[in-house]
Amino acid sequence: MDLLGKILRVDSPKGSCAARIVEAEAYGGPKDRASHAWRGRTPRNESMFGKPGTAYVYLCYGIHRMFNVVTAPEDIPAAVLIRGVEPLQGQEVMAGRRRMDPDDRRLTAGPGALT
C-alpha cells in the first residue's frame, strides 16, 4: 500500500497538524462485499467513483466520519480507509478538538479518531 508512511496535513486557523499514516484498509469495489460500492453507485458513495486521490468521507454509526482515499481509475470504485496515524505536529490542536490530553496514546487511535 503506497499510502502507508505518507503524511496527512491539515492547516486551519487554530494551527497546523500533521500525521503519518500507519494503518489502512483497502476496499475493492463492486466485487468486495465489505465495500460501500458493492451494490452499485449511490449518492452516499458517489465520490468513490471519482479520480484517484479523491476523498471519500462518510458518517459511521451516526458518530464518526471515516476518511478514505480513492485509489482506482475514475468510475471504478475502490478506496482505502485510513485507520490509524502517528501524530507528528499539532498534537495540542488535535487534542483540543477531541477534548483530550495531547499525550494520551488514544489521540489518533482508530479511524473515527482521525477525523
Side-chain angles (χ1 to χ4, degrees):
M1 267 191 203
D2 291 341
L3 289 170
L4 293 176
K6 297 294 190 261
I7 308 299
L8 288 176
R9 182 177 181 83
V10 174
D11 296 312
S12 76
K14 292 187 178 185
S16 297
C17 299
R20 176 177 291 111
I21 298 171
V22 295
E23 185 179 1
E25 186 172 322
Y27 292 93
K31 295 182 181 184
D32 181 352
R33 288 181 175 235
S35 170
H36 287 173
W38 178 63
R39 293 184 184 216
R41 201 176 208 134
T42 67
R44 180 185 192 204
N45 69 19
E46 180 64 32
S47 63
M48 276 187 85
F49 293 81
K51 295 177 183 175
T54 298
Y56 169 51
V57 180
Y58 65 90
L59 190 61
C60 183
Y61 303 121
I63 301 169
H64 302 289
R65 299 212 180 268
M66 303 299 214
F67 173 65
N68 298 255
V69 178
V70 173
T71 56
E74 197 166 3
D75 293 322
I76 300 174
V80 173
L81 170 66
I82 307 304
R83 293 193 53 84
V85 296
E86 172 190 7
L88 300 174
Q89 175 188 357
Q91 285 92 322
E92 297 79 17
V93 176
M94 294 177 199
R97 288 185 186 131
R98 297 202 56 216
R99 297 181 188 99
M100 294 178 75
D101 184 295
D103 296 321
D104 191 321
R105 296 181 71 145
R106 298 170 297 158
L107 182 61
T108 58
L114 173 62
T115 54

